[in-house]
Amino acid sequence: MAERGCPLEAVPLPAEVRESLAELELELSEGDITQKGYEKKRGKLLARYVPLTQGVDPSLQAETRIPGPSQATAPVPEQQKTRPSHARDERFRSDVHTEAVQAALAKYKERKMPMPSKRRSVLTHTAVEAYTPPDTSSASEDEGSLRRPGRLASAPLQSHAGVTPWLDQAVQGSPASSAASCTSSRPGGRPAAVPSAAAVPPGPAAHARVGVPVSSRVSSKIQQLLNTLKKPKRPPLKEFFVDDLEEVLEVQHPDPDQPKPEGGQTAVLKGELLAVGSTWPPSLLATLQQWGTTQPKAPCLTALDTTGKAVYTLTYGKLWSRSLKLAYTLLNKLTSKNEPLLKPGDRVALVFPNSDPVMFTVAFYGCLLAELVPVPIEVPLTRKDAGSQQVGFLLGSCGVALALTTDTCQKGLPKAQTGEVAAFKGWPPLTWLVIDGKHLTKPPKDWHPSAQDAGAGTAYIEYKTSKEGSTVGVAVSHASLLAQCQALTQACGYSEAETLTNVLDFKRDAGLWHGVLTSVMNRMHVVSIPYALMKANPLSWIQKVCAYKARAALVKSRDMHWSLLAQRGQRDVSLSSLRLLVVADGANPWSISSCDAFLNVFQARGLRPEVICPCASSPEALTVAIRRPPDLGGPPPRRAVLSMSCLSHGVIRLDAEEKLSVLTVQDVGQVMPGANVCVVKVEGTPYLCKTDEVGEICVNSSATATAYYGLLGITKNIFETVPVTAGGAPVSDRPFTRTGLLGFIGPDNLVFVVGKLDGLMVVGVRRHNADDIVATALAVEPMKFVYRGR
């Protein structure tokens, strides 16, 4: 500082003045002020403390106030040192100057102060990198102040009055440098007072002094400068591709104590052979023709209204004749520009409510006779129904241009201003055809449909909604349809003229397979219970079993549950005629409680325990397994009490039944006749599971669906799976179909299902199933609390 014009080392300066000088030097080095402005402000700062010299402007000596020695050297208390951010300029407006300052300024006019020209750091000494600068704890530094150290390094180091003492010491590698740290941690970032430099001997010894407090603001910038030198501002390229979640989410490590499967590798389970004989018809349509011509008055289907009254009974003769009329009308009476509107293989939508099984059955068989592919869908309720948009995607992907319905159903559909059926959002343009009797044309006597033998062509398409909400069409061939009817006939022991009470939706799944297809093959009489009737009278299906002396009934566990709530006061009902009670959702964990409760109440009314036959099915594999009635030689029913904790790791462990953290499941019977079944791992390569491991059930059979219509990619993944052994060898030369059911093979080769793939939820490394949430809710005690184990 002495070379500036006066020996400032010998002049006692207050800490604030020294700090202001350091900041003034910084502004000059950064180019924030000119050389002239710098000299003027510096002169004002030193005017009160430097002896007068010649040449000082008398006007600069106005309002001269020289503080006493005690005021100049005493440090300012911390609570008084905080200053507002806008007060900085006030400190540069002192009008007290001395002649010595003026002389110093005159001397500096001859020496030009270099302006910063290039932003390069001069701190290249290795000792600087290893040096620990004064601690900085000012939390109010903004982004601009953090960038200043880069500009600070561009000025010569000797020009920084407040920086030189400790930075020179760092460059020289002084071991005592760490003792020089002394800063303030106040929010304002105001540095602590700096003792007078007069107490420090001038000369080289000044660079090695110890314990000199340094301005917090300056040391903060120097700290940032050193950090920049040690590590570049721009991070390495690989750091740009680091996922932030890796720092937030804890990496899941497998628990070494978690249960692991210990059993041997499972094998492919083969079902009983499908009885092949002359009794099987060549196709389902040939069977319909046989019953329609030889047993025309035999009852086929009885429809009930919402009061339980039988409104219409369709005979096999009527079903055959009306189906023929529809087939002839579709092929010969529908034209577009003098060309037939439809040709064999085209897809046709069937839009019928759940209360009209008769017209649906006529439409379904009429399409089969015309070699068209029926696509049953739900009746759209509004023009912009979200569910109908997905159905529209299905119809578009199937190329549907014609929809069949009834006069009553069409009147209830939303209409456009023209009076025609409105265009539903997402649907392709459709032509609507009402198929009531008066709208159909009787075919000539010499006209006969080409009811060919069952082949590989698509018979019908059933819709399926995935867990993501998308709707796909599952294609079932004529050969698969026939094989399914044969397998169900053999497994359930169906015979001619039996009566079946059906509570399920007759348009899809088990309701279609049992109540519309297999029933016609065996000339059975189906009593269809509409859903609206079940809501009004949950006991109606039991009353119809009793009234029609039904031998079989097709229900879900929900129907059994509702019946229990409504059975009080009903003493005249009897279920002694039932030999088969098919529980279509027997794959769900909660069905066992409904079955047990139902048997407990109705066993006194003629229901035999062996009558209850749960089954498992999926749209892709159709019927996977069903429990056989005892008269067909089936093994006794089984149940398993499983540890839920082990199940969450995919491991089967038997547990005590009195515990609250267990899941009790019942078997869903044996594999279907003519089918091969195996259990494979859920993820990755379809390796065979171990005997005590939960996996996805896969089926190889001629009675499964063939594809997702028009979707070749996912079709290959689901319908062409090749299970392999642990060594990688295929278990069969024929592909398997994934069922989407999670389970295992238990004793007596009985199939157990513990959930569905669509309901699988993975939390950490543990697996849970949506079905079990329902089972948990149903297991809640009347006290309304859930046990921790569940």
Side-chain angles (χ1 to χ4, degrees):
M1 299 293 291
E3 64 181 358
R4 290 293 188 186
C6 61
L8 293 181
E9 294 291 344
V11 179
L13 296 178
E16 290 189 1
V17 176
R18 289 186 174 275
E19 180 188 357
S20 300
L21 287 174
E23 293 185 357
L24 193 58
E25 296 279 357
L26 180 59
E27 290 182 357
L28 177 63
S29 65
E30 293 179 345
D32 293 340
I33 60 175
T34 63
Q35 178 71 27
K36 184 176 181 180
Y38 160 79
E39 295 171 353
K40 183 176 181 180
K41 288 186 177 182
R42 186 173 183 274
K44 286 183 179 182
L45 285 175
L46 300 178
R48 292 180 293 177
Y49 309 104
V50 180
L52 294 176
T53 58
Q54 295 181 354
V56 178
D57 188 349
S59 64
L60 296 179
Q61 301 181 26
E63 299 180 5
T64 301
R65 294 183 299 272
I66 302 178
S70 61
Q71 292 176 317
T73 57
V76 182
E78 283 198 14
Q79 55 266 36
Q80 298 178 5
K81 287 186 285 186
T82 303
R83 65 174 183 271
S85 59
H86 59 80
R88 176 180 175 181
D89 292 340
E90 298 298 329
R91 296 180 289 117
F92 302 144
R93 295 184 178 180
S94 174
D95 297 326
V96 181
H97 291 80
T98 64
E99 295 181 1
V101 175
Q102 188 65 26
L105 295 180
K107 181 178 180 180
Y108 271 91
K109 291 181 179 180
E110 302 175 358
R111 176 172 174 261
K112 295 296 184 179
M113 190 69 180
M115 296 297 291
S117 59
K118 192 172 184 180
R119 306 287 185 178
R120 290 189 58 184
S121 175
V122 298
L123 296 179
T124 57
H125 198 283
T126 56
V128 175
E129 297 183 359
Y131 179 75
T132 303
D135 178 44
T136 58
S137 56
S138 174
S140 63
E141 294 284 0
D142 58 9
E143 186 180 355
S145 65
L146 292 179
R147 287 197 298 265
R148 284 188 177 180
R151 301 192 294 266
L152 171 65
S154 63
L157 291 178
Q158 63 269 21
S159 65
H160 296 271
V163 179
T164 305
W166 77 265
L167 185 57
D168 287 352
Q169 187 176 5
V171 175
Q172 295 176 11
S174 171
S177 59
S178 60
S181 300
C182 181
T183 59
S184 170
S185 59
R186 294 187 307 277
R190 178 72 178 270
V194 181
S196 171
V200 182
H207 297 294
R209 61 179 180 263
V210 180
V212 180
V214 182
S215 166
S216 172
R217 183 176 182 86
V218 175
S219 62
S220 169
K221 302 179 185 306
I222 300 303
Q223 173 69 67
Q224 184 69 20
L225 170 63
L226 293 179
N227 290 342
T228 303
L229 292 175
K230 293 178 181 179
K231 182 179 179 181
K233 287 185 178 180
R234 183 181 296 275
L237 184 61
K238 63 179 182 180
E239 293 190 17
F240 284 101
F241 301 95
V242 175
D243 193 347
D244 292 340
L245 292 179
E246 295 179 2
E247 302 176 3
V248 179
L249 298 180
E250 181 181 356
V251 178
Q252 293 288 344
H253 298 287
D255 184 2
D257 298 328
Q258 76 181 35
K260 296 180 176 60
E262 301 170 353
Q265 180 178 278
T266 58
V268 176
L269 178 61
K270 295 185 178 181
E272 62 189 271
L273 294 177
L274 186 64
V276 179
S278 57
T279 56
W280 295 120
S283 68
L284 184 60
L285 293 179
T287 304
L288 174 62
Q289 184 177 9
Q290 175 187 352
W291 302 134
T293 54
T294 61
Q295 301 284 341
K297 294 185 179 180
C300 173
L301 178 63
T302 296
L304 307 177
D305 61 13
T306 55
T307 64
K309 180 181 179 181
V311 292
Y312 187 81
T313 296
L314 179 70
T315 62
Y316 277 92
K318 285 291 185 181
L319 175 58
W320 170 247
S321 62
R322 294 174 68 175
S323 299
L324 274 181
K325 284 184 180 180
L326 178 58
Y328 178 78
T329 302
L330 291 174
L331 293 178
N332 298 278
K333 296 300 180 179
L334 300 180
T335 59
S336 175
K337 298 179 180 179
N338 298 326
E339 295 182 1
L341 182 64
L342 301 170
K343 60 181 183 297
D346 284 350
R347 278 70 58 197
V348 177
L350 305 188
V351 185
F352 297 90
N354 292 337
S355 59
D356 197 350
V358 171
M359 295 305 297
F360 173 83
T361 304
V362 170
F364 191 92
Y365 281 102
C367 287
L368 295 185
L369 288 172
E371 297 184 82
L372 301 174
V373 180
V375 185
I377 61 172
E378 301 298 334
V379 178
L381 301 178
T382 62
R383 296 182 61 179
K384 297 182 179 181
D385 182 43
S388 69
Q389 294 185 41
Q390 295 295 337
V391 174
F393 172 79
L394 170 67
L395 298 178
S397 62
C398 292
V400 173
L402 177 68
L404 307 183
T405 188
T406 62
D407 186 52
T408 303
C409 184
Q410 187 191 41
K411 289 180 179 178
L413 293 176
K415 300 294 192 301
Q417 294 182 352
T418 59
E420 299 179 351
V421 177
F424 297 99
K425 186 176 182 180
W427 285 37
L430 293 179
T431 299
W432 291 82
L433 177 64
V434 175
I435 64 168
D436 295 85
K438 60 184 178 180
H439 298 283
L440 302 181
T441 303
K442 186 177 182 179
K445 294 183 178 181
D446 57 349
W447 186 86
H448 300 284
S450 54
Q452 304 173 355
D453 295 343
T458 301
Y460 73 95
I461 296 176
E462 181 174 313
Y463 74 87
K464 176 198 173 183
T465 302
S466 66
K467 64 179 180 180
E468 293 85 7
S470 60
T471 301
V472 296
V474 182
V476 180
S477 67
H478 285 277
S480 296
L481 184 151
L482 179 62
Q484 169 78 342
C485 293
Q486 294 172 348
L488 285 177
T489 299
Q490 181 172 326
C492 299
Y494 287 135
S495 59
E496 290 183 26
E498 277 191 320
T499 300
L500 168 69
T501 303
N502 180 25
V503 185
L504 305 185
D505 184 2
F506 49 79
K507 299 190 296 296
R508 61 197 302 267
D509 206 71
L512 175 66
W513 305 331
H514 290 259
V516 176
L517 304 178
T518 306
S519 60
V520 169
M521 172 175 280
N522 295 282
R523 196 173 64 83
M524 296 171 64
H525 178 204
V526 177
V527 180
S528 183
I529 312 293
Y531 186 74
L533 175 58
M534 284 295 297
K535 291 176 63 178
N537 180 14
L539 207 63
S540 57
W541 71 274
I542 295 179
Q543 295 170 344
K544 297 307 174 185
V545 167
C546 183
Y548 286 91
K549 302 295 186 225
R551 298 276 289 157
L554 186 62
V555 299
K556 287 191 175 183
S557 59
R558 67 167 187 214
D559 307 313
M560 304 169 74
H561 179 72
W562 289 352
S563 301
L564 293 176
L565 301 179
Q567 57 84 27
R568 294 180 178 85
Q570 298 286 336
R571 300 181 180 179
D572 55 345
V573 296
S574 172
L575 297 178
S576 58
S577 64
L578 280 181
R579 67 167 187 86
L580 181 70
L581 178 59
V582 179
V583 185
D585 63 340
N588 293 326
W590 64 84
S591 66
I592 185 172
S593 57
S594 297
C595 292
D596 288 348
F598 188 81
L599 177 63
N600 185 47
V601 171
F602 286 95
Q603 190 171 2
R605 303 181 186 182
L607 180 66
R608 292 167 291 161
E610 63 271 17
V611 166
I612 300 177
C613 296
C615 69
S617 62
S618 74
E620 294 83 0
L622 308 188
T623 305
V624 178
I626 189 170
R627 188 186 291 174
R628 308 289 197 274
D631 55 348
L632 298 180
R638 296 266 190 168
R639 62 180 58 196
V641 182
L642 306 176
S643 166
M644 293 189 66
S645 176
C646 294
L647 276 179
S648 68
H649 293 283
V651 178
I652 304 162
R653 292 287 183 270
L654 297 180
D655 211 325
E657 192 165 2
E658 62 270 12
K659 288 187 176 181
L660 299 173
S661 58
V662 298
L663 179 67
T664 304
V665 294
Q666 63 182 348
D667 71 276
V668 289
Q670 295 170 288
V671 178
M672 291 294 288
N676 298 324
V677 168
C678 67
V679 182
V680 302
K681 293 186 180 296
V682 176
E683 298 177 350
T685 305
Y687 289 107
L688 291 177
C689 288
K690 295 183 178 180
T691 55
D692 58 344
E693 184 178 8
V694 175
E696 183 177 5
I697 300 173
C698 296
V699 176
N700 164 247
S701 171
S702 58
T704 62
T706 55
Y708 293 125
Y709 191 87
L711 303 173
L712 300 180
I714 58 176
T715 290
K716 185 175 182 62
N717 295 334
I718 301 299
F719 295 92
E720 299 179 21
T721 296
V722 181
V724 294
T725 63
V731 300
S732 173
D733 57 352
R734 299 178 59 187
F736 281 64
T737 298
R738 291 182 176 267
T739 65
L741 302 176
L742 302 176
F744 59 94
I745 306 299
D748 296 331
N749 290 334
L750 293 174
V751 179
F752 288 81
V753 176
V754 296
K756 297 181 180 180
L757 197 62
D758 276 352
L760 187 64
M761 299 178 292
V762 180
V763 182
V765 296
R766 304 182 69 175
R767 299 185 297 186
H768 307 275
N769 206 279
D771 287 342
D772 190 61
I773 297 178
V774 180
T776 298
L778 294 178
V780 174
E781 296 290 330
M783 297 291 292
K784 301 291 177 66
F785 65 88
V786 181
Y787 292 105
R788 180 182 179 186
R790 297 196 63 84

PDB file of all heavy atoms in Angstrom, residues 677-695:
ATOM      1  N   VAL A 677     -50.745 -78.469 -19.216  1.00  0.00           N
ATOM      2  CA  VAL A 677     -50.587 -77.259 -18.416  1.00  0.00           C
ATOM      3  C   VAL A 677     -49.221 -77.265 -17.756  1.00  0.00           C
ATOM      4  O   VAL A 677     -48.733 -78.316 -17.314  1.00  0.00           O
ATOM      5  CB  VAL A 677     -51.699 -77.160 -17.340  1.00  0.00           C
ATOM      6  CG1 VAL A 677     -51.376 -76.071 -16.329  1.00  0.00           C
ATOM      7  CG2 VAL A 677     -53.036 -76.876 -17.982  1.00  0.00           C
ATOM      8  N   CYS A 678     -48.600 -76.078 -17.686  1.00  0.00           N
ATOM      9  CA  CYS A 678     -47.362 -75.906 -16.936  1.00  0.00           C
ATOM     10  C   CYS A 678     -47.374 -74.531 -16.287  1.00  0.00           C
ATOM     11  O   CYS A 678     -48.182 -73.657 -16.656  1.00  0.00           O
ATOM     12  CB  CYS A 678     -46.134 -76.094 -17.829  1.00  0.00           C
ATOM     13  SG  CYS A 678     -45.933 -74.829 -19.097  1.00  0.00           S
ATOM     14  N   VAL A 679     -46.485 -74.337 -15.309  1.00  0.00           N
ATOM     15  CA  VAL A 679     -46.376 -73.072 -14.582  1.00  0.00           C
ATOM     16  C   VAL A 679     -44.989 -72.515 -14.832  1.00  0.00           C
ATOM     17  O   VAL A 679     -43.979 -73.191 -14.578  1.00  0.00           O
ATOM     18  CB  VAL A 679     -46.607 -73.276 -13.071  1.00  0.00           C
ATOM     19  CG1 VAL A 679     -46.545 -71.940 -12.338  1.00  0.00           C
ATOM     20  CG2 VAL A 679     -47.942 -73.954 -12.826  1.00  0.00           C
ATOM     21  N   VAL A 680     -44.913 -71.273 -15.346  1.00  0.00           N
ATOM     22  CA  VAL A 680     -43.632 -70.660 -15.709  1.00  0.00           C
ATOM     23  C   VAL A 680     -43.434 -69.385 -14.906  1.00  0.00           C
ATOM     24  O   VAL A 680     -44.369 -68.827 -14.316  1.00  0.00           O
ATOM     25  CB  VAL A 680     -43.566 -70.348 -17.219  1.00  0.00           C
ATOM     26  CG1 VAL A 680     -43.771 -71.606 -18.042  1.00  0.00           C
ATOM     27  CG2 VAL A 680     -44.584 -69.283 -17.604  1.00  0.00           C
ATOM     28  N   LYS A 681     -42.198 -68.917 -14.887  1.00  0.00           N
ATOM     29  CA  LYS A 681     -41.861 -67.686 -14.172  1.00  0.00           C
ATOM     30  C   LYS A 681     -42.576 -66.503 -14.814  1.00  0.00           C
ATOM     31  O   LYS A 681     -42.759 -66.449 -16.028  1.00  0.00           O
ATOM     32  CB  LYS A 681     -40.346 -67.478 -14.159  1.00  0.00           C
ATOM     33  CG  LYS A 681     -39.593 -68.531 -13.342  1.00  0.00           C
ATOM     34  CD  LYS A 681     -38.116 -68.200 -13.252  1.00  0.00           C
ATOM     35  CE  LYS A 681     -37.375 -69.239 -12.435  1.00  0.00           C
ATOM     36  NZ  LYS A 681     -37.834 -69.262 -11.017  1.00  0.00           N
ATOM     37  N   VAL A 682     -42.942 -65.549 -13.968  1.00  0.00           N
ATOM     38  CA  VAL A 682     -43.761 -64.422 -14.423  1.00  0.00           C
ATOM     39  C   VAL A 682     -42.981 -63.507 -15.349  1.00  0.00           C
ATOM     40  O   VAL A 682     -43.500 -63.025 -16.356  1.00  0.00           O
ATOM     41  CB  VAL A 682     -44.296 -63.635 -13.210  1.00  0.00           C
ATOM     42  CG1 VAL A 682     -45.068 -62.403 -13.666  1.00  0.00           C
ATOM     43  CG2 VAL A 682     -45.168 -64.523 -12.349  1.00  0.00           C
ATOM     44  N   GLU A 683     -41.700 -63.261 -15.036  1.00  0.00           N
ATOM     45  CA  GLU A 683     -40.913 -62.307 -15.804  1.00  0.00           C
ATOM     46  C   GLU A 683     -39.771 -63.016 -16.519  1.00  0.00           C
ATOM     47  O   GLU A 683     -39.261 -64.038 -16.062  1.00  0.00           O
ATOM     48  CB  GLU A 683     -40.346 -61.228 -14.877  1.00  0.00           C
ATOM     49  CG  GLU A 683     -41.414 -60.402 -14.172  1.00  0.00           C
ATOM     50  CD  GLU A 683     -40.817 -59.402 -13.207  1.00  0.00           C
ATOM     51  OE1 GLU A 683     -39.592 -59.495 -12.958  1.00  0.00           O
ATOM     52  OE2 GLU A 683     -41.550 -58.536 -12.700  1.00  0.00           O
ATOM     53  N   GLY A 684     -39.376 -62.420 -17.649  1.00  0.00           N
ATOM     54  CA  GLY A 684     -38.213 -62.921 -18.373  1.00  0.00           C
ATOM     55  C   GLY A 684     -38.513 -64.197 -19.141  1.00  0.00           C
ATOM     56  O   GLY A 684     -39.647 -64.463 -19.554  1.00  0.00           O
ATOM     57  N   THR A 685     -37.492 -64.981 -19.349  1.00  0.00           N
ATOM     58  CA  THR A 685     -37.619 -66.244 -20.074  1.00  0.00           C
ATOM     59  C   THR A 685     -38.594 -67.169 -19.341  1.00  0.00           C
ATOM     60  O   THR A 685     -38.525 -67.289 -18.116  1.00  0.00           O
ATOM     61  CB  THR A 685     -36.241 -66.925 -20.192  1.00  0.00           C
ATOM     62  OG1 THR A 685     -35.327 -66.021 -20.792  1.00  0.00           O
ATOM     63  CG2 THR A 685     -36.337 -68.194 -21.016  1.00  0.00           C
ATOM     64  N   PRO A 686     -39.524 -67.831 -20.062  1.00  0.00           N
ATOM     65  CA  PRO A 686     -40.522 -68.682 -19.398  1.00  0.00           C
ATOM     66  C   PRO A 686     -39.943 -70.009 -18.905  1.00  0.00           C
ATOM     67  O   PRO A 686     -40.266 -71.090 -19.418  1.00  0.00           O
ATOM     68  CB  PRO A 686     -41.575 -68.890 -20.488  1.00  0.00           C
ATOM     69  CG  PRO A 686     -40.836 -68.748 -21.765  1.00  0.00           C
ATOM     70  CD  PRO A 686     -39.755 -67.728 -21.519  1.00  0.00           C
ATOM     71  N   TYR A 687     -39.071 -69.923 -17.889  1.00  0.00           N
ATOM     72  CA  TYR A 687     -38.550 -71.141 -17.267  1.00  0.00           C
ATOM     73  C   TYR A 687     -39.641 -71.796 -16.431  1.00  0.00           C
ATOM     74  O   TYR A 687     -40.490 -71.120 -15.834  1.00  0.00           O
ATOM     75  CB  TYR A 687     -37.352 -70.824 -16.373  1.00  0.00           C
ATOM     76  CG  TYR A 687     -36.105 -70.426 -17.125  1.00  0.00           C
ATOM     77  CD1 TYR A 687     -35.674 -69.106 -17.143  1.00  0.00           C
ATOM     78  CD2 TYR A 687     -35.345 -71.379 -17.809  1.00  0.00           C
ATOM     79  CE1 TYR A 687     -34.521 -68.733 -17.820  1.00  0.00           C
ATOM     80  CE2 TYR A 687     -34.194 -71.014 -18.495  1.00  0.00           C
ATOM     81  CZ  TYR A 687     -33.783 -69.693 -18.497  1.00  0.00           C
ATOM     82  OH  TYR A 687     -32.650 -69.333 -19.178  1.00  0.00           O
ATOM     83  N   LEU A 688     -39.614 -73.119 -16.354  1.00  0.00           N
ATOM     84  CA  LEU A 688     -40.543 -73.831 -15.492  1.00  0.00           C
ATOM     85  C   LEU A 688     -40.288 -73.467 -14.031  1.00  0.00           C
ATOM     86  O   LEU A 688     -39.138 -73.364 -13.593  1.00  0.00           O
ATOM     87  CB  LEU A 688     -40.394 -75.343 -15.679  1.00  0.00           C
ATOM     88  CG  LEU A 688     -40.860 -75.925 -17.021  1.00  0.00           C
ATOM     89  CD1 LEU A 688     -40.586 -77.418 -17.067  1.00  0.00           C
ATOM     90  CD2 LEU A 688     -42.342 -75.655 -17.255  1.00  0.00           C
ATOM     91  N   CYS A 689     -41.339 -73.245 -13.287  1.00  0.00           N
ATOM     92  CA  CYS A 689     -41.207 -72.923 -11.871  1.00  0.00           C
ATOM     93  C   CYS A 689     -40.877 -74.183 -11.068  1.00  0.00           C
ATOM     94  O   CYS A 689     -41.013 -75.313 -11.549  1.00  0.00           O
ATOM     95  CB  CYS A 689     -42.504 -72.302 -11.351  1.00  0.00           C
ATOM     96  SG  CYS A 689     -42.808 -70.626 -11.922  1.00  0.00           S
ATOM     97  N   LYS A 690     -40.472 -73.939  -9.836  1.00  0.00           N
ATOM     98  CA  LYS A 690     -40.291 -75.040  -8.899  1.00  0.00           C
ATOM     99  C   LYS A 690     -41.631 -75.409  -8.276  1.00  0.00           C
ATOM    100  O   LYS A 690     -42.611 -74.671  -8.379  1.00  0.00           O
ATOM    101  CB  LYS A 690     -39.278 -74.652  -7.828  1.00  0.00           C
ATOM    102  CG  LYS A 690     -37.882 -74.421  -8.394  1.00  0.00           C
ATOM    103  CD  LYS A 690     -36.871 -74.104  -7.304  1.00  0.00           C
ATOM    104  CE  LYS A 690     -35.475 -73.917  -7.895  1.00  0.00           C
ATOM    105  NZ  LYS A 690     -34.458 -73.606  -6.851  1.00  0.00           N
ATOM    106  N   THR A 691     -41.655 -76.555  -7.621  1.00  0.00           N
ATOM    107  CA  THR A 691     -42.928 -77.057  -7.105  1.00  0.00           C
ATOM    108  C   THR A 691     -43.518 -76.175  -6.021  1.00  0.00           C
ATOM    109  O   THR A 691     -44.737 -76.196  -5.805  1.00  0.00           O
ATOM    110  CB  THR A 691     -42.732 -78.474  -6.552  1.00  0.00           C
ATOM    111  OG1 THR A 691     -41.677 -78.460  -5.581  1.00  0.00           O
ATOM    112  CG2 THR A 691     -42.383 -79.455  -7.660  1.00  0.00           C
ATOM    113  N   ASP A 692     -42.682 -75.400  -5.320  1.00  0.00           N
ATOM    114  CA  ASP A 692     -43.193 -74.516  -4.269  1.00  0.00           C
ATOM    115  C   ASP A 692     -43.080 -73.048  -4.677  1.00  0.00           C
ATOM    116  O   ASP A 692     -42.879 -72.175  -3.843  1.00  0.00           O
ATOM    117  CB  ASP A 692     -42.440 -74.752  -2.966  1.00  0.00           C
ATOM    118  CG  ASP A 692     -40.936 -74.546  -3.108  1.00  0.00           C
ATOM    119  OD1 ASP A 692     -40.450 -74.517  -4.256  1.00  0.00           O
ATOM    120  OD2 ASP A 692     -40.252 -74.418  -2.079  1.00  0.00           O
ATOM    121  N   GLU A 693     -43.247 -72.778  -5.955  1.00  0.00           N
ATOM    122  CA  GLU A 693     -43.104 -71.420  -6.487  1.00  0.00           C
ATOM    123  C   GLU A 693     -44.349 -71.027  -7.262  1.00  0.00           C
ATOM    124  O   GLU A 693     -44.902 -71.827  -8.031  1.00  0.00           O
ATOM    125  CB  GLU A 693     -41.874 -71.357  -7.392  1.00  0.00           C
ATOM    126  CG  GLU A 693     -41.547 -69.977  -7.929  1.00  0.00           C
ATOM    127  CD  GLU A 693     -40.288 -69.972  -8.787  1.00  0.00           C
ATOM    128  OE1 GLU A 693     -39.765 -71.058  -9.093  1.00  0.00           O
ATOM    129  OE2 GLU A 693     -39.820 -68.875  -9.138  1.00  0.00           O
ATOM    130  N   VAL A 694     -44.805 -69.781  -7.062  1.00  0.00           N
ATOM    131  CA  VAL A 694     -45.961 -69.251  -7.789  1.00  0.00           C
ATOM    132  C   VAL A 694     -45.511 -68.735  -9.147  1.00  0.00           C
ATOM    133  O   VAL A 694     -44.500 -68.032  -9.255  1.00  0.00           O
ATOM    134  CB  VAL A 694     -46.638 -68.121  -6.987  1.00  0.00           C
ATOM    135  CG1 VAL A 694     -47.764 -67.496  -7.799  1.00  0.00           C
ATOM    136  CG2 VAL A 694     -47.167 -68.651  -5.675  1.00  0.00           C
ATOM    137  N   GLY A 695     -46.251 -69.068 -10.192  1.00  0.00           N
ATOM    138  CA  GLY A 695     -45.932 -68.598 -11.537  1.00  0.00           C
ATOM    139  C   GLY A 695     -47.193 -68.429 -12.362  1.00  0.00           C
ATOM    140  O   GLY A 695     -48.323 -68.558 -11.864  1.00  0.00           O
TER     141      GLY A 695
END
